[in-house]
Amino acid sequence: MSSNPFRISSPQPQKQPRDLRKVNQQVQAADLKIQMKMKTVKYKIAVLSGKGGVGKSFVSSNLAMALAAAGRSVGIVDVDFHGPSVPKMLGVRGQMLTADDKGINPVIGPFGIKVVSIDFLLPRDDTPVVWRGAIKHSAIKQFLGDVNWGELEYLIIDMPPGTGDEALSVAQLVPNLTGMIIVTIPSEVSTLAVKKSINFAKTINAKILGVIENMSYFLCPSDNKPYYIFGEGKGKQMAEEMGVPLLGQIPLDPIVAQANDLGEPFFLKYPDNPASKEFMRIAEQVIHIVENSNQQ
């Protein structure tokens, strides 16, 4: 059994003219594998943001746990190759992907969530991923088509910041993408950048399930009043301007940073925290939007 089941390498210069027919056959075979693996996944949701540092991976990980807590079978694929943090936020960092004759076996996280990330393949914490777009596209194809996802109700795709190669690859490769969730924080700088993600989704005709505003407010433990550290109402205002729903507002809490730094699954460890309750409410909204839409 190989410790590194993926074989992703840079394209090498060809000394002889390519056999285009063979190349086309390989591409078609890879696309067919993706279609077959994704056929057993009911709903595919990409989580993205035009701005880094807004807690997108935190939102992806805890939304996945909330959906699983609501009784849904869930997987999460981390395509943030240059800053993979989903494994740590789910408490499964340090585990390894394995392979068998059927493909790659994902790591199993809290609530039975199936997890795939490049982080499982890096030899050291400080190992950089120095890849151009073509290699990242190839890696996404393997994450989708070579992994034994099995029967899933939800696959959460945690995207890197921005609207570059990875976002385009996911839009191109994932068949019947259910929709996108956009993450922001309540600051003018963030909402300006996040608007680009919303327009990106509209440009590629992807359904926008809604906006999640992270770090919305600080709930003071002494007086139980909300304090709007980064500004008030910016996420709601942006959602209204762009004509998309506001799914929820996650409060700012030092316990979140502590759990993330320790590699503890926040939603699992602190189910009664206001942020966890908001994630549960958001998950219920997502289920309502997605599953009711599917029945129509």
Side-chain angles (χ1 to χ4, degrees), residues 110-138:
F111 300 99
I113 296 170
K114 296 179 179 180
V115 189
V116 168
S117 172
I118 195 68
D119 188 66
F120 295 132
L121 305 174
L122 299 179
R124 300 193 316 272
D125 288 350
D126 60 354
T127 301
V129 176
V130 187
W131 286 352
R132 292 188 183 273
I135 306 176
K136 289 187 276 189
H137 184 83
S138 175

Side-chain angles (χ1 to χ4, degrees), residues 75-251:
I76 183 167
V77 54
D78 182 0
V79 299
D80 190 348
F81 298 119
H82 302 292
S85 50
V86 164
K88 186 164 186 174
M89 292 184 178
L90 289 175
V92 293
R93 195 156 192 260
Q95 297 193 37
M96 298 179 68
L97 299 170
T98 59
D100 56 30
D101 56 354
K102 296 180 180 178
I104 312 301
N105 298 312
V107 168
I108 305 300
F111 300 99
I113 296 170
K114 296 179 179 180
V115 189
V116 168
S117 172
I118 195 68
D119 188 66
F120 295 132
L121 305 174
L122 299 179
R124 300 193 316 272
D125 288 350
D126 60 354
T127 301
V129 176
V130 187
W131 286 352
R132 292 188 183 273
I135 306 176
K136 289 187 276 189
H137 184 83
S138 175
I140 292 172
K141 291 182 80 167
Q142 288 195 264
F143 280 6
L144 296 173
D146 289 349
V147 171
N148 298 322
W149 291 111
E151 298 280 344
L152 286 179
E153 288 171 287
Y154 287 86
L155 179 65
I156 303 298
I157 306 165
D158 183 51
M159 309 282 280
T163 55
D165 292 321
E166 296 92 329
L168 289 168
S169 292
V170 167
Q172 175 187 345
L173 294 172
V174 177
N176 302 315
L177 183 68
T178 305
M180 294 184 169
I181 291 175
I182 316 295
V183 180
T184 188
I185 63 172
S187 75
E188 188 71 21
V189 171
S190 176
T191 54
L192 283 173
V194 170
K195 284 179 180 179
K196 297 177 183 178
S197 294
I198 295 175
N199 283 327
F200 167 79
K202 291 178 178 179
T203 299
I204 62 171
N205 295 318
K207 182 176 180 179
I208 302 170
L209 301 179
V211 171
I212 295 175
E213 184 182 76
N214 192 28
M215 309 181 204
S216 291
Y217 56 90
F218 172 67
L219 195 62
C220 183
S222 61
D223 59 14
N224 205 36
K225 291 182 180 179
Y227 290 86
Y228 298 92
I229 308 298
F230 297 110
E232 182 179 359
K234 290 290 188 357
K236 182 179 181 181
Q237 180 183 340
M238 181 198 66
E240 289 174 352
E241 287 177 3
M242 303 299 288
V244 296
L246 180 68
L247 294 174
Q249 297 170 298
I250 309 298

